[in-house]
Amino acid sequence: MSLLVNLAGLVVIGLIVWWFWLSSPRARTVATGAPIDILVDDGVYTPGVIEAKAGEPIELRFLRKDASPCAEQVIFEGLDISAELPVDRQKTVTVTPPAPGEYAFTCQMKMYRGKLVVR
């Protein structure tokens, strides 16, 4: 019996590690000059990957459905941009990526994770 409990515990630990550190967002959107809508719900940003061109501003319209405190802020690493995300109201964040590369955007606890891919 204790073997089954230990195996179940290892499976749960493996799923937690995969969810928070190993999984990557699948939905991808390419910036075309129009605002991009991003849903914040169930622990993910949808779409989680945004492709953009360097030096061109893009408008990201976040709609937060998750009321948990973890989702209340979005932070763009390396771009010095952050914003509070109210529940059930859109929040527009304008980002002008300065150079090609990948810029992560996350909640303050880094449980929600997205990526801005700049070419």
Side-chain angles (χ1 to χ4, degrees), residues 6 8 21 28 39 43 49 55-56 62 67 70 74 76 91 97 105 114:
N6 288 333
W21 294 287
R28 177 179 293 255
L39 179 63
V49 178
E56 294 185 8
F62 288 88
C70 181
V74 62
F76 289 82
K91 173 72 175 191
F105 57 96

Side-chain angles (χ1 to χ4, degrees), residues 2-74:
S2 64
L3 179 64
L4 289 177
V5 171
N6 288 333
L7 286 175
L10 287 174
V11 168
V12 170
I13 290 169
L15 288 172
I16 290 170
V17 168
W18 175 81
W19 178 261
F20 288 111
W21 294 287
L22 301 178
S23 68
S24 60
R26 293 194 179 114
R28 177 179 293 255
T29 297
V30 178
T32 59
I36 297 171
D37 294 321
I38 300 174
L39 179 63
V40 181
D41 196 18
D42 292 333
V44 295
Y45 295 117
T46 306
V49 178
I50 311 295
E51 291 185 18
K53 292 182 180 175
E56 294 185 8
I58 57 172
E59 284 189 8
L60 304 174
R61 293 189 304 203
F62 288 88
L63 178 59
R64 176 180 162 210
K65 291 292 186 182
D66 187 343
S68 70
C70 181
E72 70 186 4
Q73 188 176 32
V74 62

